[in-house]
Amino acid sequence: MTTMRASYLDWNANAPLRPEAAAAMSEALGFAGNPSSVHRYGRRARQSLEKARQAVARLVNAAADHVILTSGGTEANNLALQAFPERRLIISAIEHESVLAPAPSAARIPALRTGIVDLAALARLLAAEPRPALVSLMLANNETGVIQPVAEAARMARRYGALVHCDAVQGPGRVPVDFRALGVDLMTISAHKLGGPMGVGALILRDRLELSPLIAGGGQERRRRAGTENLPGIVGFGVAAELARAELEAGDRVAALRDEAQRRLLAIAPDAAVFGAEAARLPNTLAIAMPRVAAATQVIALDLAGVMVSAGAACSSGKVARSHVLEAMGIAPAEADCAIRISLGWSTEEAEIDHLVEAWGALYARTRASAA
Ligand SMILES: Cc1ncc(COP(=O)(O)O)c(C=O)c1O
């Protein structure tokens, strides 16, 4: 029996669990103690929890005391956005659904054609009302990889007494992320984008910032997030954070592979469009449209050939909706509907790029032949 070639190029949806994280999690699954218990088993669980918290804090240059562990990026974003009910909300138009959905009436910062948000528009929104704001701007877009001017936005926001939250979920492990240097007040990260498990994340807080919790109950996480901690998941997060920090140089290799993929796909299909390429991008992300072939058709055809990519953002319903990110960049719907997202990671190999190019090229040739 021959096994089918499989090339996983959907790392922005989920990075594979690192074996070291899996091993540490499996050990932690055997811990009997609750981290809040004072006896020796409880203390052992607490020690593992705090060690992981420190590793997470170190990854983004934050203080361990300022890390609130959550059930993932989505919860951390929801916690941040509801934490200051007295403030008006300003969010960017290209945010992830976990920022957009909890802030349905927020003012929106538009994006430019490059995929970067319009800072002049942010200045106007900040100046428009005296009521202090909470601004939410992501570090790097999950669909295009475009890196956003978060430090500039934070400097600007501060002049208006606004707080700034940054959804940095796609950053750590791919580009250096420095909470202090960004100058933001709150930052979201998620374990499963950097080789930790799904369902664990963190909200990082600036010193002495008080927030209203989203989940009420026990006094865990210094009364900022109730509920017995997901110890095995958090331990896996800590190990993955440690490894991601040690391994940032891999970014150059990943960037070279992504650039090669882009060059080879454009050589096959000169009419294809790449989104966000004029801006600074995550080294691992490529958003590309094959004209007149719906994204869902491309994703299915590539999957049949063993190549796994996604149509824009992964959507829990499995359906493909029009990308609000490309729409905000002013990309025409007919072109946006043909965009797929290819995303790489630390273990991506040259052979997987060959596989992608082969499968995409075959689809392109087929669709052009049938159109002729
Ligand atoms: C930019 C961004 N923010 C937030 C999330 C949500 O994180 P989680 O999957 O941990 O809930 C994602 C996940 O894809 C994301 O890409």
Side-chain angles (χ1 to χ4, degrees):
M1 200 181 83
T2 53
T3 49
M4 185 168 176
R5 258 163 103 195
S7 298
Y8 183 69
L9 299 172
D10 198 14
W11 290 62
N12 285 10
N14 183 61
L17 184 65
R18 296 174 189 264
E20 298 89 338
M25 290 172 72
S26 146
E27 190 196 348
L29 280 169
F31 290 179
N34 182 318
S36 297
S37 297
V38 293
H39 48 62
R40 70 196 59 198
Y41 281 2
R43 289 200 306 277
R44 177 174 152 194
R46 167 65 50 193
Q47 221 173 22
S48 303
L49 182 75
E50 295 311 323
K51 184 173 162 217
R53 189 192 307 280
Q54 277 167 10
V56 168
R58 265 198 305 275
L59 176 68
V60 294
N61 189 27
D65 287 359
H66 302 155
V67 173
I68 305 175
L69 294 160
T70 67
S71 68
T74 297
E75 185 193 322
N77 282 343
N78 274 262
L79 172 58
L81 284 153
Q82 64 78 57
F84 309 96
E86 70 289 357
R87 289 178 177 262
R88 64 191 169 105
L89 296 175
I90 302 175
I91 66 175
S92 93
I94 57 167
E95 295 300 308
H96 186 263
E97 282 73 10
S98 55
V99 168
L100 295 173
S105 48
R108 299 277 176 97
I109 316 166
L112 304 169
R113 184 113 190 150
T114 53
I116 303 173
V117 296
D118 183 350
L119 282 185
L122 171 60
R124 287 193 293 276
L125 288 169
L126 286 164
E129 261 188 64
R131 190 153 68 100
L134 171 68
V135 176
S136 189
L137 175 59
M138 68 200 326
L139 185 77
N141 184 263
N142 44 301
E143 293 184 34
T144 61
V146 171
I147 296 181
Q148 302 300 320
V150 175
E152 289 94 314
R155 274 195 297 276
M156 184 184 280
R158 196 163 313 113
R159 288 200 291 274
Y160 292 91
L163 293 176
V164 177
H165 164 251
C166 175
D167 173 357
V169 163
Q170 292 290 347
R174 292 164 188 170
V175 288
V177 179
D178 186 324
F179 176 73
R180 291 188 177 96
L182 283 174
V184 297
D185 302 282
L186 308 110
M187 187 170 87
T188 294
I189 57 175
S190 175
H192 73 104
K193 308 294 182 180
L194 51 98
M198 301 179 212
V200 190
L203 184 67
I204 321 278
L205 291 190
R206 180 172 53 74
D207 197 16
R208 286 192 277 278
L209 191 65
E210 300 287 335
L211 49 66
S212 20
L214 178 61
I215 301 177
Q220 291 90 352
E221 297 300 290
R222 298 170 178 246
R223 308 203 162 277
R224 297 173 299 197
R225 199 273 183 185
T228 301
E229 300 86 347
N230 168 8
L231 186 65
I234 291 167
V235 164
F237 190 8
V239 171
E242 202 97 55
L243 293 167
R245 198 167 72 97
E247 179 188 76
L248 266 178
E249 319 79 68
D252 290 347
R253 194 188 70 85
V254 170
L257 284 175
R258 187 273 314 271
D259 292 346
E260 182 198 327
Q262 179 174 319
R263 201 173 48 247
R264 290 173 68 187
L265 295 183
L266 287 175
I268 292 170
D271 54 343
V274 173
F275 305 109
E278 302 89 56
R281 267 183 304 175
L282 291 176
N284 75 324
T285 307
L286 171 60
I288 187 165
M290 183 190 288
R292 297 183 298 286
V293 183
T297 307
Q298 293 177 62
V299 169
I300 293 164
L302 291 175
D303 187 40
L304 287 172
V307 179
M308 290 162 269
V309 302
S310 76
C315 178
S316 57
S317 59
K319 73 178 189 320
V320 177
R322 174 159 305 146
S323 160
H324 68 280
V325 174
L326 298 180
E327 197 168 40
M329 288 164 64
I331 309 297
E335 196 170 25
D337 289 349
C338 299
I340 58 166
R341 177 185 70 185
I342 297 159
S343 52
L344 290 56
W346 62 84
S347 63
T348 303
E349 292 169 3
E350 178 93 35
E352 294 179 286
I353 303 303
D354 294 343
H355 192 184
L356 162 74
V357 170
E358 212 177 278
W360 204 76
L363 174 65
Y364 184 76
R366 263 200 320 275
T367 57
R368 293 314 179 252
S370 62

